[in-house]
């Protein structure tokens, strides 16, 4: 065995955020390595740095004994270090066949050869064989945007393997694929890669996948590798259990078995049934059932990409609904123009804050009032400032001068301003300092005491579990647990 | 070059710049809110000039107070702004917002061609002259050259329009809602803003400003076919230089282009048009977003 | 696919033969419409090459103008009237300009690409319209065209020019068709939809755009040179002003991006509508043009060629169902 990739002391930061620190990895030929870690732990950044997509802040990267630091994505790909993508990057308006044909053309031609015909019989045979290896031949003439998500993932990976890479990096090969399909897809994939004798490194959140397919695990936490060990050993590692797997993993399978469409008593503020939503060609939500009873605080818990934000955007009318019903009390929201939701008393706090930069904090908070012409705003504003005295302190500062945490509070206050019947809070504790996150929990606690109807989306419910009357766990676009 | 010539160039440039600003500002307002380049704006300018010239000719045949001429211009612009706002936004653009940006520009180009001929059908090919208002304000001598005060008043009008728009956008509730729409359509909708209505109102406002530019310019020029074609491409240049959607950008862009052109006219007439587009190309190369790119919030 | 199976090559060649035969039956005015359609169609073909990868230029009158003015200036200052030489110079000059500007333009996408092109074309317009040496707004009239040692006069010259233009355009269209079949020419969707993926496959989107831009510049120069010879005169307002660029985009939209023959058909239809409208309804010809463009955008967003595709698509779908793998 010899080393395919050697990374030493790799560093990268974005502003004050350290995305990679002191990364040392040696990948041996023939290995299958799993990269795990929570959202934002630096997994994709690692792939981006090694493949030349991002310039590193320091360190060395050697591929097949050659220094590749600072080379372009193109040059590195040509040397045989290829990757696939978390969101499949196929050419959506071309057929599967043409997608692969392009990949072959670029891989096989150079210089004047680029001016020779792309489609030739021999090459077509190779493309057909490639499609067959990934078991997607029957989708040969289907355009990218019409491919099922799992097939699109396979095509994306198939395109990355056209150069017969020495090392292939896969970014979440099963994300966006339904739970029923994931093993089937992985079996196809791993078999094809074994046939090509490709060394594989893949990022994965799904521990069932990791345990089943991976020899060795790299666990990332806050930009550092906290564990590098054979899979079984890594799963027992204290740090991995604490920082990567978390509480959810232990609850895992049992909870899922207990999942049921239990009907709830009392009046529903928000009633969603059998909701399907797609963004572009990709189906994100699959038959979501979710009810928020009046005066209750509910949690929508799931990791990044599970469909939390999509769910909220669909309720807010920013995405159109393919199937299912969304009702607020007795109003059919699907038939209501998007902007009427604020008038009906729904307040929405987006995860990424989205303040209007030219306005002050208070002006941002008052926007929904101006838009809806609501009354009694003075009293409501005072009530909000009562809940969040810190916001009152910086209410006259411009939105651009506020820190991320402060902006988050303003976005929260803005949602409260018109959210008299229902509040949708998308990851209120995400991306802010622990002290702010803690404060956010206190505010939610106060809000609960006031009897507001709230739906909070979070990637884990560690901090807010005690506040929740009901928890919906969302995975791969479906509610898998409801308790 | 002596000081007097410099002064003349400056005054000339400001007058020409304010003419450009009057047209460009409406274009940039629409561009900022609706994120589209509206070629029909040139037709609005031409319609403003034609309607005003016609009305002024009629107006000066009756014995009403002469300063009423300014009310006539305002009326013409308002009328056209509302009329075309409804026709073009409701009738055409609303069906195209989901399309590629290039396609929207082309659709407005097509509508522009149609409007050019509507203009000819209504007013024919003969030039219209309505210079009476020019004499109303007298003239001023600057550096030994007479400038009529009407042209100078255009600088004032531009300043007033810029100030009113700035105030409206930054100090009124409507303006702040508009900022929310400009910044983030989806969020604005979630906050309860009726984005469709805002689009219509913005388009009317932009069209009104375009027509007002033509209306105020009407007495100073010979109103004839082709004025819309000429002005729209100049206004594009100004908007691109200033940054699409930026009102201060349109102001600075107009002044830069106006003065540069005046400089060329006085020093090297052959460069007159060349210089405007040279500036446009240079700005695009150095700052593709234009001089005043829209503000962005802190991300971390 | 061999030469014999290539329907487009057959189509082009049949078109070539048909046009050469038409030469004997059509009146003069129609022949000049046909030649101008070939010229404008060539420029629109250049726009097609760009548009397939999602870029539109609002300033291709620049290359059209450079091609035309190269021919005009050679006639005026050097007394060179040979069609082969002047066209070659027009094409090369426009191509070199596109190559130079391409280093800058290849970094831009979307509306900025379109507008930067417009700015460059208006710079040329400003220069041409003002400089006496370049004919200012009156333009330059050309001497009678010659063909190597052949120097026909009057009606014979018109015939010669037509035959010459038809054959040359055929050659150009075939070359572009071959280019579009090549690996580089096929990097269209890849550039339009996903340059990052293209990078990871191993080619740079910017380089692909640059190549396409040069191709479109060459075609612009070719169209301009042919137009100059046909009209016998070059001037800035009808060849370089921004509405001229608008006309090219119009033809491209009207034609659709489906096939290299589409821009020529589109250009002919455009010329016919325009000539007819101008002749019969001189007051509202622009209205008719604008209305046509609006109708195309609204009801036939993929251009005339989409009709051909639709017709063929039905047949292709049947074939695929029957044999599984018929169409590539």
């Amino acid at each position: 065995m010899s080393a395919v990739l050697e990374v030493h002391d790799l560093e990268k930061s974005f502003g004050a955020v350290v995305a990679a620190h002191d990364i040392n990895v040696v990948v041996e030929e023939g290995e299958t390595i799993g990269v795990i870690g929570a959202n934002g732990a630096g997994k994709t950044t690692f792939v981006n740095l090694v493949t030349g997509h991002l310039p590193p802040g320091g360190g060395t990267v050697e591929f097949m004994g050659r220094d590749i630091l600072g080379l372009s994505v193109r040059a590195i790909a040509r040397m045989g270090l290829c990757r696939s993508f978390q969101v499949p990057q196929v050419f959506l308006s071309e057929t599967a066949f043409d997608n692969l044909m392009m990949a072959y053309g670029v891989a096989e031609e150079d210089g004047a050869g680029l001016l020779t015909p792309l489609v030739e019989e021999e090459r077509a045979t190779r493309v057909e064989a490639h499609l067959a290896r990934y078991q997607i031949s029957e989708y040969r003439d289907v355009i990218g945007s019409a491919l099922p998500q799992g097939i699109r993932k396979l095509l994306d990976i198939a395109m990355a393997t056209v150069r017969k890479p020495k090392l292939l990096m896969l970014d979440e090969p099963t994300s966006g694929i339904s739970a029923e399909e994931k093993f089937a897809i992985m079996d196809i994939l791993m078999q094809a890669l074994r046939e090509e004798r490709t060394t594989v490194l893949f990022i994965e959140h799904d521990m069932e996948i990791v345990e089943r397919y991976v020899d060795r695990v790299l666990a990332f936490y806050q930009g550092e590798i906290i564990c590098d060990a054979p899979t079984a050993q890594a799963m027992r590692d204290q740090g991995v259990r604490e920082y990567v797997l978390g509480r959810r993993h232990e609850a895992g399978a049992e909870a899922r078995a207990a999942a049921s469409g239990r009907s709830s008593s009392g009046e529903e503020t928000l009633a969603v049934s059998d909701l399907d939503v797609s963004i572009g060609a990709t189906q994100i939500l699959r038959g979501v059932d979710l009810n928020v009873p009046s005066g209750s605080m509910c949690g929508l818990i799931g990791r990044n990409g599970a469909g939390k934000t999509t769910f909220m955007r669909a309720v807010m009318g920013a995405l159109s609904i393919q199937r299912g019903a969304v009702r607020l009390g007795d109003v059919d929201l699907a038939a209501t123009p998007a902007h009427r939701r604020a008038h009906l008393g729904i307040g929405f706090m987006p995860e990424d804050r989205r303040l209007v930069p030219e306005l002050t904090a208070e002006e941002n908070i008052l926007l929904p009032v101006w838009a809806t012409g609501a009354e009694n705003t003075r009293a409501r504003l005072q009530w909000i400032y009562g809940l969040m005295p810190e916001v009152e302190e910086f209410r006259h500062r411009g939105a651009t001068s506020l820190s991320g945490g402060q902006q988050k509070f303003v976005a929260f206050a803005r949602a409260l301003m018109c959210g008299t019947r229902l509040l949708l809070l998308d990851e209120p504790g995400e991306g802010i300092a622990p002290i702010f996150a803690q404060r956010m929990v206190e505010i939610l606690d106060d809000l609960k005491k006031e009897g507001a109807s709230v739906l909070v989306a979070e990637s884990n419910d560690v901090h807010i579990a005690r506040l929740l009357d009901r928890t919906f766990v969302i995975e791969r676009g479906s509610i898998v647990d409801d308790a | 070059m002596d000081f007097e010539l410099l002064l003349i160039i400056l005054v000339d440039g400001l007058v020409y710049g304010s003419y450009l600003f009057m047209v460009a500002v409406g274009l940039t307002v629409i561009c900022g809110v609706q994120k589209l380049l509206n070629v029909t704006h040139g037709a609005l300018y031409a319609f403003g000039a034609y309607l005003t010239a016609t009305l002024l000719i009629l107006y000066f045949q009756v014995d009403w107070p002469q300063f009423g001429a300014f009310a006539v211009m305002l009326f013409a612009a308002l009328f056209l702004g509302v009329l075309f706002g409804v026709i073009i936004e409701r009738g055409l653009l609303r069906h195209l917002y989901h399309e590629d940006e290039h396609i929207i520009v082309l659709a407005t180009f097509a509508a522009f061609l149609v409007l050019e001929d509507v203009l000819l059908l209504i007013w024919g090919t003969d030039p219209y002259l309505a210079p009476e208002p020019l004499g109303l304000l007298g003239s001023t001598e600057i550096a030994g050259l007479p400038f009529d005060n009407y042209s100078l008043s255009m600088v004032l009008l531009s300043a007033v329009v810029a100030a009113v728009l700035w105030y409206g956008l930054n100090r009124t509730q409507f303006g702040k809602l508009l900022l929310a729409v400009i910044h983030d359509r989806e969020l604005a909708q979630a906050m309860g803003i009726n984005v469709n209505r805002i689009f219509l109102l913005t388009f009317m406002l932009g069209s009104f400003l375009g027509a007002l530019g033509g209306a105020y310019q009407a007495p100073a020029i010979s109103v004839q076919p082709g004025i819309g074609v000429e002005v729209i491409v100049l206004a594009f240049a100004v908007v691109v230089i200033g940054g699409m959607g930026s009102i201060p950008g349109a102001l600075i862009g107009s002044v830069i282009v106006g003065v540069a052109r005046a400089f060329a006219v006085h020093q090297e007439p052959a460069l007159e048009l060349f210089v405007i587009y040279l500036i446009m190309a240079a700005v695009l190369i150095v700052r593709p977003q234009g001089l005043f790119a829209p503000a962005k919030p802190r991300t971390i | 696919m061999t030469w014999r199976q290539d329907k487009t090559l057959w189509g082009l060649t049949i078109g070539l033969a048909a046009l050469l035969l038409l030469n004997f039956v059509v009146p003069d005015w129609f022949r000049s419409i046909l030649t101008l359609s070939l010229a404008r169609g060539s420029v629109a073909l250049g726009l097609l090459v760009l548009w397939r990868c999602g870029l539109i230029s609002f300033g291709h009158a620049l290359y059209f103008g450079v091609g035309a003015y190269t021919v005009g200036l050679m006639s005026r200052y050097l007394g060179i009237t040979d069609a082969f030489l002047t066209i070659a110079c027009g094409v090369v000059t426009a191509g070199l300009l596109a190559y130079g500007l391409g280093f800058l333009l290849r970094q831009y996408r979307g509306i900025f690409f379109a507008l930067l092109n417009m700015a460059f074309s208006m710079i040329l317009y400003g220069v041409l319209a003002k400089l006496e040496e370049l004919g200012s707004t009156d333009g330059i009239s050309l001497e009678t065209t010659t063909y190597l040692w052949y120097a026909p006069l009057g009606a014979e010259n018109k015939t010669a020019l037509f035959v010459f233009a038809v054959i040359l355009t055929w050659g150009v269209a075939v070359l572009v068709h071959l280019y579009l079949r090549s690996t580089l020419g096929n990097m269209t969707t890849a550039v339009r939809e996903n340059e990052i993926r293209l990078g990871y496959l191993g080619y740079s989107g910017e380089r692909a755009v640059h190549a396409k831009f040069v191709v479109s510049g060459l075609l612009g120069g070719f169209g301009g040179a042919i137009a100059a010879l046909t009209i016998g005169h070059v001037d800035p307002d009808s060849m370089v002003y921004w509405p001229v660029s608008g006309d090219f985009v119009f033809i491209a939209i009207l034609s659709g991006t489906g096939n290299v023959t589409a821009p020529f058909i589109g250009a002919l239809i455009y010329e016919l509508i325009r000539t007819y409208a101008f002749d019969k309804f001189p007051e509202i010809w622009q209205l008719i043009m604008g209305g046509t463009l609006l109708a195309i955008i609204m009801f036939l967003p993929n251009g005339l060629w989409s009709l051909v595709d639709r017709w063929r698509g039905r047949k292709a779908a049947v074939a695929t169902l029957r044999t599984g793998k018929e169409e590539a």
Side-chain angles (χ1 to χ4, degrees), chain A residues 48 51 53 73-74 77-78 83 85 89-94 102-103 105-106 109 113-119 123 128 140-141 156 159-160 163, chain C residues 1 178-179 181-205 207 320 324-328:
Chain A
N48 285 342
T51 56
H53 188 61
V73 165
R74 263 173 301 142
R78 279 159 182 256
R83 74 172 290 187
F85 299 84
Q89 305 287 316
V90 304
F91 306 127
L92 291 173
S93 57
E94 304 249 17
M102 187 78 247
V106 175
E109 303 290 357
L114 285 166
L115 290 170
T116 56
L118 171 66
V119 183
R123 191 176 287 154
E128 300 282 2
R140 166 188 201 283
D141 297 322
D156 180 68
M159 287 169 78
R163 285 184 179 274
Chain C
M1 194 155 46
L178 293 180
Y179 163 78
R181 274 177 46 184
S182 74
T183 303
L184 188 59
N186 262 296
M187 286 181 202
T188 50
T189 319
V191 173
R192 188 177 67 231
E193 289 184 354
N194 206 327
E195 286 188 47
I196 292 178
R197 170 54 109 174
L198 185 59
Y200 272 105
L201 290 178
Y203 202 76
S204 139
R207 275 168 74 176
T320 316
K325 296 170 184 173
E326 191 72 41
E327 288 263 313

Side-chain angles (χ1 to χ4, degrees), chain A residues 358 363, chain B residues 165-176 179:
Chain A
E358 292 91 343
E363 286 171 331
Chain B
L165 282 178
W166 183 86
Y167 184 86
L169 196 60
N170 294 291
R171 291 285 181 271
T172 66
Q173 263 183 28
F174 179 79
K176 286 166 186 170
L179 283 174

Side-chain angles (χ1 to χ4, degrees), chain A residues 226-227 233-246:
Chain A
I226 55 167
C227 176
Q233 191 188 330
M235 290 296 152
R236 288 193 303 270
D237 184 274
Q238 192 54 40
V240 171
R241 294 176 77 85
E242 187 170 341
Y243 295 117
V244 181
L245 305 178

Side-chain angles (χ1 to χ4, degrees), chain C residues 211-292:
Chain C
K212 280 155 206 302
F213 195 70
V214 173
V215 171
S216 81
L218 290 167
L219 284 163
F222 176 74
I226 295 283
L229 293 179
T230 313
I231 301 168
H233 184 84
V234 295
D235 72 280
D237 279 302
S238 73
M239 286 180 154
V240 197
Y241 202 29
W242 72 266
V244 180
S245 297
D247 291 342
F248 295 137
V249 180
F250 186 157
I251 296 172
I253 297 274
L254 175 70
S255 316
T257 58
N259 191 283
V260 287
T261 45
F264 297 103
I265 298 168
L268 178 61
I269 292 173
Y270 170 88
E271 286 292 337
L272 287 176
I273 298 177
R274 189 161 125 141
T275 311
Y276 186 75
F278 201 72
D279 195 44
K280 299 289 180 200
F281 311 101
E283 304 87 18
I284 55 162
W285 73 275
Q286 285 203 89
L287 195 151
I288 294 172
M289 300 311 289
T292 312

Side-chain angles (χ1 to χ4, degrees), chain A residues 352-366:
Chain A
D352 46 358
R353 313 179 288 257
R354 292 159 84 168
L355 304 187
V356 181
E358 292 91 343
L359 303 184
T360 65
E362 185 166 279
E363 286 171 331
N364 268 292
I365 295 170
L366 288 173

Side-chain angles (χ1 to χ4, degrees), chain B residues 200-216:
Chain B
L200 178 63
L201 290 174
T202 311
F203 198 84
M204 283 181 179
L205 172 69
S207 299
F208 159 71
L209 289 168
L212 187 64
Y216 207 76

